[in-house]
Amino acid sequence: MRTFKRILLVAGCLLLVAQIPFAVNRYRTARLATEIEELGKDRGPVPRLGFRDYKGVIHVHSFIGGHSTGTFEELIGAANQNGLDFVVMTEHVANDFDSAAKTLNERHGRAIWIGGNEVPTSDGDKFLVLDGFSDLSTLQFNSTDELLGETEGKRKLALVTYPESFRSWDADFDGIEVFSLHTNAKAMNPFLFLMDAVWSFGSYPELTMARHFRRPAENLDRFDKISGTRKISLFGGNDAHSNIGFHLFGDDANNKLFEIKYDRYGMIFRLMRTHVLIPENEELSRVTVLEALRRGRSFLGFDILGDSSGFTFHAENAEGARLVGTDSDVDAGSVLRVASPLPAKIVIFRNGDRVFESESVRSVEFKAREPGVYRVEAFLDSLGAPFDEMPWVITNPIYVGNPPALSAGVPKPTNQN
Ligand SMILES: [Zn+2]
């Protein structure tokens, strides 16, 4: 009996000691929340370049397309709460009805809603198609090339989703989801996340998750390789289902004693946003949001660390300012400018290589002497690890000198795997 008590005592002590790192994390997360609040007070002005920044989210599911329990009420409430300007729904295709037409469309609350689809192909690839169309579900049994032929004919956007399991890298798609909240959440160590969650999730749900984020290096490398041969766009997918989580006691219906649902819409919409840039003389609408996404006139902001609205990366030449995107061609020797609403470390990449890195600043001027594809990542170094390596902003590129052609009819990269 004495031995048993001793074992129990030792086990109890070990359990207590094992909690120390997670208690420390709780302290760090609380400090991070304070630092973010302080940083937010330090917002500075950014230049207006004839465009307005609208924030929204891409890749959202509801009960309409299955694999999700989320209702329209929850979605609209979460979008309003977040002050979102647009939400791109990407319902799974249904065999018997048009799930893109049946989901939220038009304006509800503050936001414009755009019904699109997530479609698999017989090659094992998955695409987000924006916006949806009535016979799209029949294409899910076709090859990737056949699907892309249809979407191009209808002037729809076909964006690669789940790049980690995508195969047809030589196909003629329009963009890549370089960061997915869903994939990132699934990649977290479940034990470490659960222990962190026990200590921190109740008070800081978003930051508890954000501290487990990692820069999507592989996807960015792939984007850099392909954008060097033809023009494509990058974007971030929230992949919100409102169905991932766990509870320790109780049943599925209710009476949960300790429940964590770590992809509630409100929370997922707060973590990361896509910002689109729309000309000031045009209204925010389904058409203008889709056009901005088509042209890659957008950037990805991890806004939980600080509102990235107003961040700009543009080129200046004799004709004036050229924003990021597929029509941003400028001559070699043009000046590239970055302006940030918050002080940030600015890194400029050329064809995937770091060619410039600043201290914590609000603006950068860089002469792009060499032709190439230039894009920017901004880091809030002052928030400490992991945010010195996990970007706050990732922009689409500017094409400098002899840019690659847009989309079809050009040599495509091979062996991207
Ligand atoms: Zn999805």
Side-chain angles (χ1 to χ4, degrees), residues 59 61 90 92 118 128 161-162 239 241:
H59 198 163
H61 298 277
T90 52
H92 294 281
E118 180 177 321
L128 303 181
T161 184
Y162 304 107
D239 204 358
H241 292 74

PDB file of all heavy atoms in Angstrom, residues 59 61 90 92 118 128 161-162 239 241, ligand 1:
ATOM      1  N   HIS A  59     -13.033  30.474 -48.906  1.00  0.00           N
ATOM      2  CA  HIS A  59     -13.061  29.047 -48.554  1.00  0.00           C
ATOM      3  C   HIS A  59     -13.848  28.824 -47.258  1.00  0.00           C
ATOM      4  O   HIS A  59     -13.269  28.608 -46.189  1.00  0.00           O
ATOM      5  CB  HIS A  59     -11.635  28.480 -48.447  1.00  0.00           C
ATOM      6  CG  HIS A  59     -11.616  26.974 -48.519  1.00  0.00           C
ATOM      7  ND1 HIS A  59     -10.478  26.265 -48.789  1.00  0.00           N
ATOM      8  CD2 HIS A  59     -12.604  26.031 -48.366  1.00  0.00           C
ATOM      9  CE1 HIS A  59     -10.747  24.971 -48.783  1.00  0.00           C
ATOM     10  NE2 HIS A  59     -12.033  24.809 -48.526  1.00  0.00           N
ATOM     11  N   HIS A  61     -17.434  26.810 -45.698  1.00  0.00           N
ATOM     12  CA  HIS A  61     -18.472  25.797 -45.922  1.00  0.00           C
ATOM     13  C   HIS A  61     -19.639  26.027 -44.969  1.00  0.00           C
ATOM     14  O   HIS A  61     -19.459  26.558 -43.874  1.00  0.00           O
ATOM     15  CB  HIS A  61     -17.917  24.401 -45.661  1.00  0.00           C
ATOM     16  CG  HIS A  61     -16.801  24.013 -46.578  1.00  0.00           C
ATOM     17  ND1 HIS A  61     -17.017  23.497 -47.831  1.00  0.00           N
ATOM     18  CD2 HIS A  61     -15.448  24.089 -46.435  1.00  0.00           C
ATOM     19  CE1 HIS A  61     -15.847  23.250 -48.416  1.00  0.00           C
ATOM     20  NE2 HIS A  61     -14.879  23.608 -47.586  1.00  0.00           N
ATOM     21  N   THR A  90     -17.530  28.274 -50.455  1.00  0.00           N
ATOM     22  CA  THR A  90     -17.024  27.238 -51.378  1.00  0.00           C
ATOM     23  C   THR A  90     -17.639  25.908 -50.958  1.00  0.00           C
ATOM     24  O   THR A  90     -16.962  25.065 -50.373  1.00  0.00           O
ATOM     25  CB  THR A  90     -15.488  27.151 -51.305  1.00  0.00           C
ATOM     26  OG1 THR A  90     -15.127  27.007 -49.927  1.00  0.00           O
ATOM     27  CG2 THR A  90     -14.823  28.383 -51.877  1.00  0.00           C
ATOM     28  N   HIS A  92     -19.130  22.181 -50.927  1.00  0.00           N
ATOM     29  CA  HIS A  92     -18.844  20.936 -51.661  1.00  0.00           C
ATOM     30  C   HIS A  92     -19.955  20.759 -52.690  1.00  0.00           C
ATOM     31  O   HIS A  92     -21.103  21.105 -52.428  1.00  0.00           O
ATOM     32  CB  HIS A  92     -18.839  19.750 -50.692  1.00  0.00           C
ATOM     33  CG  HIS A  92     -17.725  19.821 -49.694  1.00  0.00           C
ATOM     34  ND1 HIS A  92     -16.430  19.477 -50.001  1.00  0.00           N
ATOM     35  CD2 HIS A  92     -17.699  20.218 -48.407  1.00  0.00           C
ATOM     36  CE1 HIS A  92     -15.658  19.660 -48.936  1.00  0.00           C
ATOM     37  NE2 HIS A  92     -16.408  20.111 -47.957  1.00  0.00           N
ATOM     38  N   GLU A 118     -16.263  23.822 -53.952  1.00  0.00           N
ATOM     39  CA  GLU A 118     -15.022  23.050 -53.856  1.00  0.00           C
ATOM     40  C   GLU A 118     -15.269  21.775 -54.662  1.00  0.00           C
ATOM     41  O   GLU A 118     -16.243  21.070 -54.407  1.00  0.00           O
ATOM     42  CB  GLU A 118     -14.707  22.728 -52.392  1.00  0.00           C
ATOM     43  CG  GLU A 118     -13.431  21.929 -52.226  1.00  0.00           C
ATOM     44  CD  GLU A 118     -13.077  21.678 -50.754  1.00  0.00           C
ATOM     45  OE1 GLU A 118     -13.264  22.588 -49.917  1.00  0.00           O
ATOM     46  OE2 GLU A 118     -12.645  20.551 -50.459  1.00  0.00           O
ATOM     47  N   LEU A 128     -11.059  25.210 -55.803  1.00  0.00           N
ATOM     48  CA  LEU A 128     -12.156  26.117 -55.455  1.00  0.00           C
ATOM     49  C   LEU A 128     -12.525  26.807 -56.762  1.00  0.00           C
ATOM     50  O   LEU A 128     -11.649  27.366 -57.434  1.00  0.00           O
ATOM     51  CB  LEU A 128     -11.693  27.155 -54.433  1.00  0.00           C
ATOM     52  CG  LEU A 128     -11.124  26.601 -53.125  1.00  0.00           C
ATOM     53  CD1 LEU A 128     -10.733  27.742 -52.196  1.00  0.00           C
ATOM     54  CD2 LEU A 128     -12.127  25.670 -52.437  1.00  0.00           C
ATOM     55  N   THR A 161      -6.717  24.128 -54.145  1.00  0.00           N
ATOM     56  CA  THR A 161      -6.860  24.034 -52.690  1.00  0.00           C
ATOM     57  C   THR A 161      -6.198  22.724 -52.233  1.00  0.00           C
ATOM     58  O   THR A 161      -5.999  21.819 -53.031  1.00  0.00           O
ATOM     59  CB  THR A 161      -8.340  24.124 -52.258  1.00  0.00           C
ATOM     60  OG1 THR A 161      -8.407  24.117 -50.823  1.00  0.00           O
ATOM     61  CG2 THR A 161      -9.173  22.978 -52.810  1.00  0.00           C
ATOM     62  N   TYR A 162      -5.830  22.621 -50.977  1.00  0.00           N
ATOM     63  CA  TYR A 162      -5.059  21.479 -50.455  1.00  0.00           C
ATOM     64  C   TYR A 162      -3.829  21.211 -51.327  1.00  0.00           C
ATOM     65  O   TYR A 162      -3.673  20.111 -51.859  1.00  0.00           O
ATOM     66  CB  TYR A 162      -5.936  20.224 -50.351  1.00  0.00           C
ATOM     67  CG  TYR A 162      -7.164  20.431 -49.505  1.00  0.00           C
ATOM     68  CD1 TYR A 162      -8.421  20.537 -50.085  1.00  0.00           C
ATOM     69  CD2 TYR A 162      -7.058  20.563 -48.126  1.00  0.00           C
ATOM     70  CE1 TYR A 162      -9.546  20.765 -49.312  1.00  0.00           C
ATOM     71  CE2 TYR A 162      -8.173  20.787 -47.343  1.00  0.00           C
ATOM     72  CZ  TYR A 162      -9.422  20.889 -47.940  1.00  0.00           C
ATOM     73  OH  TYR A 162     -10.524  21.117 -47.185  1.00  0.00           O
ATOM     74  N   ASP A 239     -11.037  27.904 -44.907  1.00  0.00           N
ATOM     75  CA  ASP A 239     -11.593  26.550 -44.852  1.00  0.00           C
ATOM     76  C   ASP A 239     -12.386  26.332 -43.566  1.00  0.00           C
ATOM     77  O   ASP A 239     -12.115  25.427 -42.788  1.00  0.00           O
ATOM     78  CB  ASP A 239     -10.479  25.495 -44.977  1.00  0.00           C
ATOM     79  CG  ASP A 239     -11.025  24.169 -45.518  1.00  0.00           C
ATOM     80  OD1 ASP A 239     -12.252  24.087 -45.753  1.00  0.00           O
ATOM     81  OD2 ASP A 239     -10.240  23.217 -45.677  1.00  0.00           O
ATOM     82  N   HIS A 241     -15.394  25.247 -41.368  1.00  0.00           N
ATOM     83  CA  HIS A 241     -16.483  24.260 -41.356  1.00  0.00           C
ATOM     84  C   HIS A 241     -17.363  24.400 -40.119  1.00  0.00           C
ATOM     85  O   HIS A 241     -18.486  23.964 -40.109  1.00  0.00           O
ATOM     86  CB  HIS A 241     -15.934  22.828 -41.318  1.00  0.00           C
ATOM     87  CG  HIS A 241     -15.231  22.392 -42.546  1.00  0.00           C
ATOM     88  ND1 HIS A 241     -13.977  22.843 -42.880  1.00  0.00           N
ATOM     89  CD2 HIS A 241     -15.604  21.539 -43.538  1.00  0.00           C
ATOM     90  CE1 HIS A 241     -13.612  22.261 -44.025  1.00  0.00           C
ATOM     91  NE2 HIS A 241     -14.574  21.487 -44.437  1.00  0.00           N
TER      92      HIS A 241
HETATM   93 ZN    ZN B   1     -12.953  22.962 -47.905  1.00  0.00          ZN
END
